[in-house]
């Protein structure tokens, strides 16, 4: 995805089909990832790829220093602790989540979203948590419920700190889900007519009013975030927020569309380390 | 921490949120008489033109903390001698640049035709 193709992808749905077709001939998810990285690193040669996990902070040393200071004593520690208690509380069956999740829940977050061949769809870590709950006699949580799923994740995902993102796209069905997510990323929506790529590719590192815009590579590794120190936000809730900001009707968190978007989006961060949870202003 | 919370509030104002849009539609006939908005008011209003989110206006002293998505709006009558072309750019920027990250103010009904006329006059004078 050279600069030219990224621009083509932004020219609207009509152009998109053609451009995607052109990409598909030679492209693979891995080629897409490399092209994204090339696009950003050529534009910003002084910003290290490893620092993309800090989002917009990678482009603003002062804001990064403030972030570092806050992260020394995270204001949201008590929520993480609450999540640990949740994680350790036995489910109705008497088993715990750690008995049910792969590898006891440790060093797994970077494998998700994952394409489940048997079910023919993308499965997020939140889906896996719900599967465990249901298999052990509990009701599923709403994937975007802050007080349950959000708080649990604030702890659970710390067990994967440092794991390198390792999302796999294998086989035609997985590739179709990936392509669907990619299409969402490049499709303009809403009264204000923006695609994710308009902001997070075309204008990454650029200010929208006083807000510096983050690159899409590195976006998915550090969730949930605590905005303003205490407002817990999961990844797909952020998607919803960005859709709303362009006055689009957002697809709901947990929908196939959102899961496919997360699948594509997460693949872009392959090789980058996970970290939960982090502060955002 | 207060500083960050304040910053967060500033962001939500910037984010042109759906609720802002809802407030925007005036109830027909019920509008209380108020001072007429100028082109500059509309251009500066975060829930209307919000042009400063993306454009600097170097000749306007109170055009503070602009974004940088778009080029500075300056010497516009020299660059757009044909005012209709300037209006058309604001109405739908995709016509001249399909990959643009500017909002189609007229085509998508973000501003009314009358509001676009006023904004065009204002920008033409920059």
């Amino acid at each position: 995805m050279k600069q030219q193709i990224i621009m083509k992808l932004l020219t609207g749905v009509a152009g998109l089909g053609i451009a995607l077709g052109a990409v598909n001939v030679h492209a693979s998810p891995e080629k897409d990832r490399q092209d994204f990285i090339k696009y950003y690193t050529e534009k910003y040669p002084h910003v290290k790829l490893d620092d993309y996990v800090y989002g917009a902070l990678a482009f603003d040393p002062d804001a990064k220093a403030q972030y570092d200071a806050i992260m020394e004593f995270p204001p949201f520690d008590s929520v993480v602790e609450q999540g640990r208690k949740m994680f350790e509380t036995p489910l109705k069956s008497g088993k715990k989540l750690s008995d049910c999740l792969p590898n006891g829940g440790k060093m797994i977050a970077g494998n998700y979203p994952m394409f489940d061949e048997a079910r023919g769809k993308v499965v997020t870590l939140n889906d896996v948590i719900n599967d465990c709950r249901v298999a052990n006699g509990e009701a599923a949580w709403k994937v975007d419920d802050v007080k349950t799923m959000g708080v649990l994740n604030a702890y659970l995902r710390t067990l994967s700190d440092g794991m390198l993102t390792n999302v796999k796209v294998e086989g035609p069905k997985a590739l179709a889900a990936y392509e669907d997510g990619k299409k969402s990323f490049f499709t303009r929506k809403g009264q204000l007519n923006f695609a994710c790529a308009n902001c997070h590719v075309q204008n990454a590192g650029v200010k929208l009013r006083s807000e510096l815009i983050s690159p899409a590579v590195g976006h998915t590794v550090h969730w949930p975030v605590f905005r303003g120190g205490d407002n817990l936000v999961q990844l797909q809730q952020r998607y919803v927020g960005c859709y709303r900001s362009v006055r689009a009707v957002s697809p709901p968190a947990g929908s196939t569309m959102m899961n496919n978007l997360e699948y594509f989006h997460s693949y872009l961060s392959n090789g980058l380390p996970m970290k939960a949870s982090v502060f955002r202003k | 921490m207060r500083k960050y919370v304040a910053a967060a509030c500033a962001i939500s104002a910037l984010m042109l949120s759906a609720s802002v849009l809802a407030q925007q539609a005036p109830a027909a006939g019920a509008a209380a008489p108020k001072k007429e908005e100028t082109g500059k008011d509309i251009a500066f209003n975060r829930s209307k033109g919000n042009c400063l989110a993306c454009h600097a206006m170097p000749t306007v002293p109170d055009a503070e903390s602009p974004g940088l998505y778009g080029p500075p709006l300056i010497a516009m009558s020299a660059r757009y001698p044909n005012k209709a072309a300037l209006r058309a750019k604001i109405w739908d920027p995709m016509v001249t640049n399909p990959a643009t990250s500017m909002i189609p103010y007229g085509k998508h009904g973000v501003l009314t035709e009358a509001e676009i006329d006023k904004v065009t006059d204002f920008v033409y004078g920059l």
Side-chain angles (χ1 to χ4, degrees):
Chain A
M1 210 174 323
K2 305 260 160 48
Q3 163 127 12
Q4 226 184 353
I5 296 173
I6 289 179
M7 291 310 156
K8 247 200 213 162
L9 285 167
L10 281 167
T11 56
V13 183
L16 187 73
I18 301 161
L20 276 179
V23 171
N24 281 341
V25 180
H26 312 284
S28 62
E30 191 47 28
K31 175 88 169 49
D32 286 348
R33 190 179 74 86
Q34 296 292 347
D35 286 342
F36 265 76
I37 290 172
K38 193 155 172 268
Y39 174 88
Y40 294 125
T41 52
E42 277 177 3
K43 203 164 163 191
Y44 299 105
H46 60 289
V47 181
K48 281 189 287 190
L49 181 61
D50 282 350
D51 286 346
Y52 282 37
V53 298
Y54 300 114
L57 302 168
F59 298 81
D60 183 347
D62 287 345
K64 172 67 167 50
Q66 286 174 358
Y67 165 90
D68 287 337
I70 291 168
M71 288 299 286
E72 275 183 43
F73 302 100
F76 45 82
D77 262 356
S78 63
V79 181
V80 177
E81 177 57 20
Q82 207 186 320
R84 186 180 66 76
K85 290 203 183 106
M86 250 184 212
F87 182 72
E88 285 167 3
T89 304
L91 303 166
K92 277 222 176 83
S93 68
K95 286 194 177 165
K96 293 180 185 174
L97 269 180
S98 54
D99 300 319
C100 177
L101 292 169
N103 199 35
K106 292 187 185 129
M107 293 304 191
I108 59 167
N111 294 329
Y112 294 92
M114 193 185 270
F115 192 80
D116 184 326
E117 281 293 334
R119 286 194 268 182
K121 63 173 189 180
V122 167
V123 168
T124 64
L125 183 55
N126 285 0
D127 293 332
V128 177
I129 293 165
N130 268 335
D131 288 348
C132 276
R133 287 181 55 80
V134 171
N136 288 285
E138 300 276 351
W141 282 328
K142 277 181 67 189
V143 287
D144 58 349
D145 186 57
V146 170
K147 290 203 164 69
T148 54
M149 195 62 95
V151 171
L152 177 79
N153 268 312
Y155 172 71
L156 174 64
R157 298 180 81 98
T158 64
L159 301 178
S160 300
D161 275 2
M163 177 186 183
L164 304 185
T165 305
N166 184 27
V167 171
K168 296 202 168 78
V169 179
E170 289 164 351
K173 283 188 188 161
L175 188 61
Y178 170 92
E179 291 293 351
D180 180 64
K182 176 171 160 186
K183 185 163 160 247
S184 295
F185 188 84
F186 283 101
T187 301
R188 291 178 190 267
K189 280 191 77 150
Q191 189 188 32
L192 303 189
N193 201 38
F194 285 91
C196 313
N198 280 119
C199 289
H200 295 292
V201 180
Q202 209 174 20
N203 287 293
V206 178
K207 275 190 173 165
L208 178 63
R209 189 63 85 149
S210 48
E211 196 66 7
L212 203 49
I213 302 290
S214 51
V217 170
H219 253 170
T220 57
V221 301
H222 54 71
W223 297 86
V225 302
F226 285 84
R227 294 186 76 183
D230 56 9
N231 181 13
L232 191 160
V233 179
Q234 299 190 81
L235 179 60
Q236 290 197 7
Q237 289 173 282
R238 182 76 230 202
Y239 295 173
V240 172
C242 283
Y243 272 129
R244 289 200 179 136
S245 74
V246 299
R247 300 179 183 169
V249 178
S250 178
S255 59
T256 301
M257 208 211 113
M258 288 296 222
N259 290 352
N260 289 350
L261 177 57
E262 186 179 332
Y263 189 44
F264 162 78
H265 198 199
S266 300
Y267 189 95
L268 296 178
S269 293
N270 267 355
L272 292 174
M274 314 286 295
K275 167 141 182 69
S277 303
V278 304
F279 171 83
R280 283 290 183 271
K281 66 174 181 159
Chain B
M1 191 56 52
R2 177 173 295 165
K3 193 165 125 202
Y4 297 106
V5 176
C9 295
I11 299 161
S12 40
L14 159 86
M15 293 285 282
L16 311 159
S17 72
S19 57
V20 169
L21 177 66
Q23 287 159 20
Q24 188 187 316
K34 55 176 179 187
K35 219 180 92 209
E36 212 189 306
E37 268 186 313
T38 64
K40 182 182 171 185
D41 292 339
I42 297 161
F44 275 42
N45 186 330
R46 284 172 189 249
S47 63
K48 289 208 168 169
N50 200 16
C51 313
L52 289 172
C54 300
H55 294 284
M57 300 181 188
T59 54
V60 183
D62 59 340
E64 280 161 10
S65 50
L68 293 171
Y69 273 34
L73 298 179
I74 190 168
M76 296 313 287
S77 58
R79 284 158 61 206
Y80 283 81
N82 176 1
K83 207 183 200 180
L86 178 61
R87 190 185 192 280
K89 181 72 192 175
I90 300 167
W91 200 85
D92 181 10
M94 277 179 79
V95 172
T96 52
N97 179 2
T100 191
S101 49
M102 174 160 152
I103 298 163
Y105 286 96
K107 192 180 180 200
H108 279 204
V110 178
L111 297 178
T112 65
E113 298 295 330
E115 286 171 333
I116 292 177
D117 286 339
K118 287 185 187 175
V119 170
T120 305
D121 284 342
F122 167 67
V123 172
Y124 192 71
L126 296 178

